[in-house]
């Protein structure tokens, strides 16, 4: 028997809660530490940490117990951890704590995921609107034909790319790569949204609407299936989901780009993080 759309949505919703509350899921993030070229201590961690052109570096003694995942023994001396932007990215562990080097717009940092975080301990689920089929609608993707006003372009299978400067949850403005727009009609309203296209062809976007900051979090993310050769895809707002920064303050998340703030209420998808 084929599962109904509502059953598939419920399975997706249950999976979301399980993923964010996993031992090293989004709720486990307790710190994002931006690194300098000079070695320095990080509160709560042994050794000293710094960054160079190759990645994040650590100097520690074997007794400190920091192990690069895949290595046979703890770091005793210096170690290089390649960031998540590297195809051969590294992670390290200190007991149950996972240490993940990242790079964002050339800025290196170390993220700390602790299974014993307060966020995991207090998590009571994700509130969401009931599934409603009218919020899943056809959409048509149109790639940008050229770069944006800043002149930045980037080729992709979805067409030329643009970058737009948007505020992030940490208060900084950063470039957001976007590759086109989707057009759709929902709740009697015809609208467009600016989206990005990933390597697997799927589309993603950052949106806000009349519920944002009131009934739902400040903004939400959406993901759409890869469009066909005519640009046709589906926008299912039942699967609008909370960004990582809704679960931990130490994530940096882009706010919606211009034009992605809908002026009507999208009463579909995830709403808020629930706590005990």
């Amino acid at each position: 028997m084929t599962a109904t759309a509502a059953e598939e949505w419920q399975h997706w919703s249950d999976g979301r809660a399980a993923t964010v509350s996993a031992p090293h899921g989004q709720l486990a993030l307790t710190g994002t530490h931006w690194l300098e070229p000079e070695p320095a201590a990080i509160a709560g961690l042994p050794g000293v940490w710094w960054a160079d052109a190759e990645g994040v570096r650590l100097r520690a003694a074997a007794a400190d117990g920091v192990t690069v995942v895949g290595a046979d023994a703890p770091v005793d001396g210096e170690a290089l951890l390649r960031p998540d932007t590297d195809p051969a990215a590294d992670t390290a562990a200190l007991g149950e704590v996972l240490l993940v080097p990242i790079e964002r717009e050339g800025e290196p940092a170390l993220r700390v995921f602790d299974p014993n975080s307060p966020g995991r301990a207090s998590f009571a689920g994700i509130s969401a609107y009931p599934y409603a089929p009218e919020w899943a609608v056809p959409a048509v993707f149109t790639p940008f034909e050229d770069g944006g006003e800043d002149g930045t372009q980037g080729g992709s299978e979805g067409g030329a790319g643009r970058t737009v400067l948007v505020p992030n949850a940490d208060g900084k403005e950063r470039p957001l790569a976007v590759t086109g727009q989707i057009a759709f009609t929902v709740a009697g309203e015809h609208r467009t949204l600016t989206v990005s296209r990933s390597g697997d062809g799927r589309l993603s976007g950052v949106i806000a609407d009349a519920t944002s900051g009131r009934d739902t979090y400040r903004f939400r993310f959406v993901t759409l299936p890869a469009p066909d050769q005519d640009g046709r895809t589906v926008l299912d707002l039942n699967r609008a989901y909370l960004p990582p920064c809704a679960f931990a303050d130490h994530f940096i998340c882009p706010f919606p780009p211009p034009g992605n703030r809908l002026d009507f209420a999208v009463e579909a998808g995830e709403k808020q993080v629930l706590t005990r």
Side-chain angles (χ1 to χ4, degrees), residues 52-56 80-91 100-104 107-109:
D52 59 23
E54 294 184 89
V56 171
L80 169 67
L81 299 175
R82 290 161 293 192
D84 59 348
T85 51
D86 191 303
D90 296 301
T91 56
V100 181
I102 68 169
E103 182 181 341
R104 297 295 180 268
E107 299 180 18

Side-chain angles (χ1 to χ4, degrees), residues 3-273:
T4 66
E7 290 171 335
E8 291 177 348
W9 172 83
Q10 187 62 59
H11 180 73
W12 170 83
S13 183
D14 293 343
R16 279 277 299 157
T19 298
V20 300
S21 62
H24 297 117
Q26 293 170 354
L27 286 159
L29 183 67
T30 58
T32 296
H33 304 277
W34 301 97
L35 302 173
E36 300 293 339
E38 295 300 320
I42 294 177
L45 298 180
V48 291
W49 303 80
W50 71 101
D52 59 23
E54 294 184 89
V56 171
R57 293 192 180 271
L58 161 67
R59 184 183 302 128
D64 291 326
V66 179
T67 302
V68 177
V69 174
D72 296 329
V75 174
D76 190 12
E78 289 189 8
L80 169 67
L81 299 175
R82 290 161 293 192
D84 59 348
T85 51
D86 191 303
D90 296 301
T91 56
L94 177 63
E96 294 183 334
V97 176
L98 191 66
L99 308 173
V100 181
I102 68 169
E103 182 181 341
R104 297 295 180 268
E105 285 74 50
E107 299 180 18
L110 185 74
R111 279 188 169 153
V112 179
F113 291 86
D114 186 349
N116 296 311
S117 70
R120 284 194 76 223
S122 63
F123 181 63
I126 303 171
S127 63
Y129 292 100
Y131 177 81
E134 62 268 24
W135 289 105
V137 297
V140 176
F141 171 67
T142 302
F144 292 135
E145 295 182 355
D146 52 37
E149 293 180 358
D150 59 6
T152 303
Q153 299 189 26
S156 76
E157 60 180 326
R162 301 180 181 181
T163 58
V164 292
L165 200 62
V166 298
N168 280 231
D170 64 350
K172 293 184 178 181
E173 288 193 339
R174 292 183 175 87
L176 175 68
V178 293
T179 52
Q181 288 189 326
I182 56 167
F184 59 96
T185 299
V186 65
E189 303 284 348
H190 182 73
R191 292 290 187 272
T192 60
L193 293 172
T194 299
V195 295
S196 304
R197 191 166 191 172
S198 60
D200 62 5
R202 292 190 300 170
L203 307 174
S204 60
V206 189
I207 66 168
D209 64 275
T211 71
S212 300
R214 189 189 66 195
D215 298 327
T216 65
Y217 189 69
R218 292 181 293 171
F219 55 95
R220 294 182 285 176
F221 290 173
V222 291
T223 300
L224 295 80
D228 66 15
Q229 61 183 4
D230 296 317
R232 293 174 298 190
T233 182
V234 174
L235 172 63
D236 187 354
L237 290 165
N238 290 290
R239 301 197 186 199
Y241 62 97
L242 301 181
C245 52
F247 300 96
D249 293 336
H250 305 285
F251 284 107
I252 54 174
C253 299
F255 287 6
N260 277 24
R261 294 184 178 273
L262 302 171
D263 57 1
F264 56 91
V266 176
E267 296 180 334
E270 294 182 346
K271 299 167 71 175
Q272 300 281 359
V273 178

